[in-house]
Amino acid sequence: MSTSVQNLPRVRASELVGRGWLNTGGRTVTLSELRGKVVVLDFWTFCCINCLHVLDELREVEEQHRDELVIIGVHSPKFEHEADPDALAAAVERYEVRHPVLDDPELVTWGAYTARAWPTLVVIDPEGYIVAQMAGEGHGSAIAALVSDLIAEHARKGTLHRGSGPYVPPAPASGTLRFPAKALALPNGNLLVADAGHHSLAELGPDGETLVRRIGSGERGLVDGTPGEARFSEPNGLALVPEDLRANLGYDVVVADTVNHALRGVRLSDGVVFTVAGTGEQFMVGGQENVSGTVGAFEAGESYDSLSVRLSSPWDVEWSAELGAFVVAMAGNHTLWDFHPGPHLPVVSLLAGTMNEGLEDGPGEGAWFAQPSGLATAADGALWLADAETSALRRLVPVDETDVRVETAVGQGLFDFGHRDGAADQALLQHPLGVAVLPDGSVVVADTYNGALRRYDPASGEVTTLAKDLAEPSDVLVEVADDAVHLLVVESAAHRLTRVALPATLAGEVLDSGAHKVARPATDVGSGALRLDVPFAPAPGQKLDDRWGPSTSLQVSATPPELLLSGAGSGTDLFRDLVINPEVAEGVLHVTAKAASCDEVPLLPNGEPDPDVFPACHLAQQDWGVPVRVVPDGDTGLTLPLRG
């Protein structure tokens, strides 16, 4: 059962305090001037895939209620790079954020609203009172229903003011590329670039600048067809189809079409685009309908018709001869999938990952990832992986045609990052998105938030820096010609491709710019009993959905595991009695909560549900990593609202 949420006391919303504002034409926005509007605060950080999902969830309600609703993005950064105001401005443009954004680098407003997770949403009524707070994704329908109810209520009371809000759109940008994500060398010598900001693919000449053609109309959407008809939505990864498969499949390139939650096939001869995997809807962890036409049927390791399964923000794709499939870095649910193409029945299956976010090695079925974002094949058939949120470089070793073993070469976990060279077990990266293999077998990493190219040498176990002062490098291609090696870098935030010549020694420069931890304040808790409560209430017009089993679930663990003397594990109640170890001074509580709800079905005159109405289902979910400090007078309760 779930924890029911009682009516909250009327609490005034705290003022919005930060370093500055974006999308307001330079103006400062105050809550007092927004009185009369429904306000939704969206606490986000631009590295966070769940935050990007929420941006997409909010787009429809934002457009529908422009006269009555104001969404305010509160950007509270996780990584050091995200606190850079220029980087934030680029991200607001990159992700087409069409509402005001408060820059909150010191987490002042974050703290005022007791946010504990990215993303967190807070709803404020037209009189300036907080009416709801929710964490995680999957709340789009709840926000829409709550906003509609508040508009109706305050229209009746006379406290609703319609009219334009404080949003001022930025000046339109121009250029061949806009936030390019990944690049691919084509058989004809040209380059194919995933031009994410233009929602299309750009084929460039060998110089990396001359536009040969564009595949995709440039409009966001999921449409197949000719180059002028086809639509993408923030495409990222690109992979060539093996030559011996191209004729049978009818396409030459596979595209990770990230925001469409799909894989697309592109035929290079005429630029025609096909959807080859995904339904266009997002896979929700724990969802009952992730396979079209069935309920509760998805199982890890099973193969499914690729066009019937929902995917979740595929970020990169790479062919593996050992697996006989394309490996897909599924950033949205922290997993790796494989896609077996075929002219008759292409299939997908879960290759590795539990869908929990973190850094755990071992057999693929038990491994944890965190926004896997870049893939490259080594000479021995293993795959190198850039695991963005753990700032890690990881290695996937095929065990057989259906399984891999996961090993971490560089990286400490979700909360540790920096720019530090040296021994791999001490080296640090910062949110890398791309990876490539050099001719000598070493690995170059597009260390995105450090603005650098890093090299890991498996032979020596050392990490060095090959290049720095790059603008969010998100991918890198290795070019070998006349015994010279160059790296073609996708500088995403500079909207260009840049060639970097490698030093003759390949050793690079040894740097140490320090180590960093996520700068969230720890929660003081006492040793002994700690009550964990995760409030959840269905949205207006919805009810908990227990048609196929319990409607809620809660999973709890800790780093280090010794932090919890009891209370770890899974259950169906959204509350848990934990026991904190007095011998452990600090750590992190990992909490994953899910709640399924569905729309209420209208009743017929006889009081029976209308059999012709099929309720829409919704899943809310969130992973919290809560830093805690064990102190004598610490709290004995911890509340993490999923929706309350």
Side-chain angles (χ1 to χ4, degrees):
M1 27 182 323
S2 72
T3 302
S4 62
V5 177
Q6 306 299 321
N7 289 330
L8 296 174
R10 286 172 64 81
V11 176
R12 280 282 183 191
S14 299
E15 194 49 82
L16 307 176
V17 179
R19 178 169 55 188
W21 288 84
L22 296 88
N23 284 353
T24 65
R27 290 182 55 249
T28 295
V29 177
T30 64
L31 284 179
S32 60
E33 73 181 79
L34 298 179
R35 201 65 54 82
K37 303 282 190 184
V38 179
V39 177
V40 174
L41 304 182
D42 175 16
F43 290 87
W44 69 300
T45 186
F46 64 76
C47 71
C48 166
I49 191 68
N50 311 93
C51 299
L52 303 185
H53 290 164
V54 167
L55 285 176
D56 292 320
E57 289 178 2
L58 294 177
R59 291 187 198 280
E60 185 175 348
V61 67
E62 185 172 30
E63 289 302 319
Q64 183 179 358
H65 297 293
R66 278 281 181 191
D67 285 346
E68 304 94 356
L69 168 68
V70 174
I71 295 177
I72 302 285
V74 182
H75 188 266
S76 306
K78 170 184 175 180
F79 288 103
E80 181 185 33
H81 174 71
E82 293 173 300
D84 182 329
D86 293 334
L88 173 57
V92 168
E93 181 183 351
R94 179 196 302 261
Y95 297 118
E96 298 180 6
V97 179
R98 293 174 179 162
H99 50 249
V101 173
L102 173 66
D103 183 6
D104 182 28
E106 302 297 329
L107 278 65
V108 175
T109 298
W110 164 283
Y113 284 86
T114 63
R116 297 184 187 271
W118 295 281
T120 291
L121 297 167
V122 177
V123 182
I124 302 170
D125 72 13
E127 294 179 284
Y129 292 98
I130 296 173
V131 296
Q133 180 168 330
M134 50 198 78
E137 57 182 299
H139 299 292
S141 64
I143 290 288
L146 186 53
V147 167
S148 294
D149 281 4
L150 288 171
I151 289 172
E153 174 189 347
H154 288 271
R156 290 192 300 270
K157 293 173 63 176
T159 50
L160 181 73
H161 299 163
R162 290 184 167 89
S164 59
Y167 171 65
V168 177
S174 62
T176 301
L177 301 177
R178 202 70 189 156
F179 299 107
K182 305 282 185 182
L184 177 68
L186 297 178
N188 65 0
N190 287 343
L191 299 162
L192 190 65
V193 180
D195 194 6
H198 286 142
H199 307 297
S200 63
L201 309 180
E203 184 174 344
L204 305 181
D207 61 2
E209 297 181 1
T210 304
L211 181 63
V212 176
R213 64 171 168 171
R214 189 171 292 279
I215 299 173
S217 69
E219 296 290 325
R220 185 192 291 268
L222 179 59
V223 177
D224 292 343
T226 65
E229 298 169 338
R231 293 188 179 187
F232 297 88
S233 188
E234 297 179 32
N236 273 273
L238 304 166
L240 275 177
V241 174
E243 188 174 5
D244 59 342
L245 296 180
R246 294 173 197 166
N248 287 335
L249 296 181
Y251 53 88
D252 308 281
V253 175
V254 176
V255 182
D257 194 7
T258 303
V259 180
N260 276 327
H261 310 294
L263 300 181
R264 317 291 292 280
V266 177
R267 190 166 59 213
L268 292 175
S269 61
D270 55 9
V272 170
V273 178
F274 311 84
T275 298
V276 298
T279 66
E281 297 177 286
Q282 182 190 346
F283 185 113
M284 296 296 289
V285 180
Q288 296 288 344
E289 297 177 330
N290 285 319
V291 182
S292 297
T294 61
V295 175
F298 178 80
E299 294 183 13
E302 295 292 326
S303 295
Y304 296 96
D305 174 1
S306 67
L307 292 173
S308 73
V309 176
R310 299 179 182 184
L311 308 182
S312 184
S313 298
W315 207 278
D316 202 7
V317 59
E318 176 82 357
W319 174 257
S320 169
E322 279 69 18
L323 297 171
F326 289 96
V327 176
V328 182
M330 205 72 71
N333 55 25
H334 317 300
T335 56
L336 301 175
W337 290 52
D338 55 31
F339 165 55
H340 292 265
H344 304 300
L345 185 61
V347 296
V348 294
S349 61
L350 175 60
L351 175 65
T354 63
M355 302 192 188
N356 290 316
E357 185 179 18
L359 189 73
E360 293 285 343
D361 290 343
E365 64 182 3
W368 289 26
F369 303 95
Q371 291 180 215
S373 300
L375 292 161
T377 304
D380 63 0
L383 291 167
W384 290 102
L385 170 69
D387 202 25
E389 278 293 286
T390 53
S391 297
L393 173 65
R394 308 179 77 180
R395 180 177 166 89
L396 317 171
V397 181
V399 176
D400 53 38
E401 291 188 352
T402 61
D403 194 15
V404 295
R405 185 177 73 255
V406 182
E407 305 165 350
T408 296
V410 182
Q412 307 296 325
L414 282 168
F415 304 105
D416 295 275
F417 60 93
H419 191 154
R420 173 175 288 170
D421 290 336
D425 61 353
Q426 298 297 315
L428 295 170
L429 310 170
Q430 187 179 180
H431 200 79
L433 293 179
V435 64
V437 178
L438 293 167
D440 68 347
S442 62
V443 184
V444 59
V445 178
D447 192 9
T448 308
Y449 284 4
N450 278 326
L453 297 182
R454 313 286 293 284
R455 175 178 177 256
Y456 167 65
D457 182 2
S460 67
E462 294 289 314
V463 175
T464 53
T465 297
L466 297 175
K468 55 185 180 179
D469 300 323
L470 299 167
E472 292 191 11
S474 60
D475 197 20
V476 58
L477 298 182
V478 177
E479 300 179 326
V480 181
D482 301 325
D483 296 325
V485 178
H486 287 79
L487 301 179
L488 184 69
V489 184
V490 180
E491 280 195 274
S492 189
H495 319 296
R496 67 190 178 202
L497 306 184
T498 302
R499 280 187 168 87
V500 175
L502 285 183
T505 63
L506 283 185
E509 182 182 2
V510 178
L511 298 175
D512 186 350
S513 299
H516 304 279
K517 282 186 175 289
V518 175
R520 284 185 294 164
T523 297
D524 288 343
V525 299
S527 61
L530 178 71
R531 175 75 170 199
L532 172 66
D533 191 19
V534 183
F536 176 83
Q542 298 176 11
K543 62 180 181 179
L544 289 171
D545 184 4
D546 55 5
R547 291 174 291 170
W548 298 285
S551 58
T552 60
S553 68
L554 182 67
Q555 182 177 1
V556 180
S557 62
T559 302
E562 296 77 21
L563 175 66
L564 284 178
L565 292 176
S566 69
S570 300
T572 58
D573 291 327
L574 290 182
F575 56 86
R576 185 79 56 84
D577 289 315
L578 313 178
V579 178
I580 301 296
N581 189 346
E583 302 299 320
V584 178
E586 60 182 12
V588 178
L589 288 175
H590 303 282
V591 180
T592 300
K594 303 168 190 170
S597 57
C598 63
D599 294 346
E600 294 180 337
V601 177
L603 301 180
L604 297 173
N606 62 6
E608 295 294 322
D610 188 335
D612 295 324
V613 176
F614 298 92
C617 299
H618 315 280
L619 181 71
Q621 62 181 44
Q622 175 59 18
D623 294 321
W624 288 269
V626 183
V628 298
R629 183 173 53 195
V630 182
V631 297
D633 298 321
D635 293 338
T636 59
L638 176 63
T639 300
L640 304 174
L642 182 60
R643 184 188 298 160

